[in-house]
Every structure is written in C-alpha cells, then in structure tokens.
C-alpha cells in the first residue's frame, strides 16, 4: 500500500530543490552530453531501436532537456515532462520542437499505448519504493507493444534525504537486481544493462546503471 505521507514529502522535496537549482542546472549541464561519449553511444543504440517520427516521452527533462533535444534532433516526436514548474518554464523558453508539460511521473496523464518509447535519465532516482510498482505499471500502460524504454540511475544502496545547498531532496540508488525484477514483473524484456564507473571527473562520482528494455506483455488490468 502506498505511504502517502512519504510520497508527498519526497515529491515536495524535489519541487523545492529543482525549483531552486533549475538555473544552475541549465548553466552547468546544458551541453553535458557533448562531453560524455558513453552516454551519447548509449542514446545512439537506443535510437537505433526506434523509427523516425516515433513518439517518445522524456521523463524528468529538467531545464536543460538534454536527452529530449537529442531525440528531437534525430527525428523523433518528443514530449518532455518534469515535476518542477521552473524547469519546464525554462525549457519551454529556450527550446523549440518539443512539447513540454509540467507533470508528475506518478500521475502520467496519457492514454494507453501513446508512446513508442520512453526515456528516464536520472529521474526515477527521486521515486520512493512504495511508488515503483505503480510507476512501472504505467510505463507499460502508456507504451505501445514492443515499445522501448531507456533508464539510467545511480547504483548502490543509498535511500533517504541528500542535503545539497541546504535543501534536502529525496534521493535513492538502485541495484541491477531491483531494476531487473521491476521490469520483469511489469512485462518488459531486458535488451541491455550495464553498470559503469564514474569515468568523467566533472560528474558526480557514483557508479551508474544504464539499461534498455522492451515491452513484451500487456499489464493493463491489475495495477
Ligand atoms: C537529476 S535531474 C535529471 C535531468 C535530466 N534528465 C538529465 O539527465 O540531465 C532529475 C529530474 O527529474 C525531475 N523529477 C523528479 N521527480 C519527478 C517526478 N515525480 N515527475 C517528473 N519529474 C520528476 C526533477 O525535477 C529533475 O528535473
């Protein structure tokens, strides 16, 4: 059963945090992808599984919309969502050709089978355990059959509040086993999963998990 108090507290911490740091993120990470060949290669492999003009949802696009812009520039129809109003406002002001919506990934307001693909780069790191089943159920629901999903997270066993610039934000890491179980339970087949070291000295020094999976079963009825 969902622990509403924990969910609401974690959500509020994210809004407070990203509504505060959206401009720093924009200034620091705008062109980060150009400096990360590992991430670009991963995104390119993901793109190879998707057709031009397919619809993709980028979850947690932030103010920088790094991944959303990559998908747009490679011929996809892109929707970017984020919980933070400031992030969405900034992305809307700076980038064209992408539909930006302020939306909580825990309340995905899209019809069944809307998208051919979903990307969630370092955004499910802000989701408490009690919400994961509902979230992965919804990933399945809004994806078309054989739709693809790319997820990246920090690896490890941290679970709690991380105090950065005096604003505590709910943050958690994952293990490969956890992610494999969630995807399997919610009708996905793993295509690739890799854990990488912090190879760039300018990034937060953590191990990271990168995975791509495919929806192979419908999970409509038993949320
Ligand atoms: C670490 S940033 C990652 C940004 C970007 N994807 C990247 O890789 O550079 C996490 C983003 O997820 C967003 N986020 C956190 N919880 C969310 C939720 N429940 N629904 C939608 N977005 C959320 C935050 O507002 C933030 O912009």
């Amino acid at each position: 059963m969902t622990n509403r108090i924990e969910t609401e507290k974690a959500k509020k911490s994210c809004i407070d945090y990203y509504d505060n740091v959206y401009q720093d993120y924009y200034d620091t990470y705008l062109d980060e992808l150009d400096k990360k060949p590992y991430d670009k290669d991963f995104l390119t492999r993901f793109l190879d599984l998707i057709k031009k003009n397919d619809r993709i949802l980028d979850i947690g696009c932030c103010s920088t919309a790094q991944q959303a812009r990559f998908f747009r520039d490679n011929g996809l129809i892109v929707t970017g969502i984020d919980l933070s109003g400031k992030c969405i406002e900034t992305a809307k002001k700076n980038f064209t050709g992408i539909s930006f919506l302020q939306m909580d990934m825990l309340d995905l307001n899209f019809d069944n089978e809307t998208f051919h693909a979903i990307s969630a780069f370092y955004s499910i790191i802000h989701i408490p355990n009690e919400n994961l089943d509902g979230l992965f159920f919804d990933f399945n629901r809004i994806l078309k059959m054989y739709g693809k999903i790319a997820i990246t997270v920090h690896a490890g066993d941290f679970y709690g509040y991380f105090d950065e610039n005096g604003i505590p934000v709910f943050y958690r890491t994952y293990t490969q086993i956890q992610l494999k179980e969630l995807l399997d339970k919610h009708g996905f087949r793993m295509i690739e999963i890799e854990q990488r070291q912090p190879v760039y000295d300018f990034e937060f020094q953590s191990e990271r998990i990168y995975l791509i999976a495919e929806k192979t079963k419908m999970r409509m009825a038993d949320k």
Side-chain angles (χ1 to χ4, degrees), residues 131-194:
N131 301 117
L132 290 176
D133 270 328
L135 179 63
F136 279 70
F137 177 93
D138 249 11
F139 286 166
N140 180 301
R141 182 185 67 75
I142 65 171
L143 267 181
K144 294 179 187 299
M145 189 53 114
Y146 306 115
K148 310 293 188 289
I149 185 163
I151 296 177
T152 70
V153 294
H154 299 281
D157 58 7
F158 183 86
Y159 191 93
Y161 284 80
F162 185 79
D163 207 324
E164 206 173 83
N165 308 328
I167 306 173
V169 60
F170 176 78
Y171 161 79
R172 53 91 46 81
T173 55
Y174 289 86
T175 64
Q176 291 194 43
I177 291 173
Q178 245 178 325
L179 292 167
K180 281 177 185 162
E181 281 176 1
L182 273 166
L183 286 163
D184 184 54
K185 180 173 177 187
H186 292 284
F188 290 88
R189 169 184 81 86
M190 192 70 79
I191 294 176
E192 66 165 80
I193 182 163
E194 189 169 48

Side-chain angles (χ1 to χ4, degrees), residues 194-210:
E194 189 169 48
Q195 190 154 330
R196 78 157 169 86
Q197 299 298 314
V199 283
Y200 305 110
D201 58 8
F202 54 85
E203 70 183 2
F204 180 68
Q205 297 297 288
S206 65
E207 284 194 33
R208 290 142 188 258
I209 299 170
Y210 286 66

Side-chain angles (χ1 to χ4, degrees), residues 7 10-11 14 59 83 104-106 123-136 139 159 170-174 178:
T7 301
K11 179 173 161 178
C14 277
I59 297 182
L83 187 60
D104 185 352
M105 74 174 96
L106 298 180
S123 52
I124 70 165
I125 60 170
H126 295 301
I127 301 299
N129 280 334
E130 53 267 29
N131 301 117
L132 290 176
D133 270 328
L135 179 63
F136 279 70
F139 286 166
Y159 191 93
F170 176 78
Y171 161 79
R172 53 91 46 81
T173 55
Y174 289 86
Q178 245 178 325

Side-chain angles (χ1 to χ4, degrees), residues 80-111:
I81 63 163
D82 204 283
L83 187 60
S84 153
K86 293 282 188 196
C87 283
I88 288 297
E89 207 178 282
T90 308
K92 264 188 186 160
K93 197 170 70 192
N94 288 289
F95 309 122
T96 57
I98 298 168
S99 303
F100 289 109
L101 301 168
Q102 184 181 4
M103 193 184 288
D104 185 352
M105 74 174 96
L106 298 180
D107 190 14
L108 288 171
N109 190 13
F110 299 107
D111 289 342

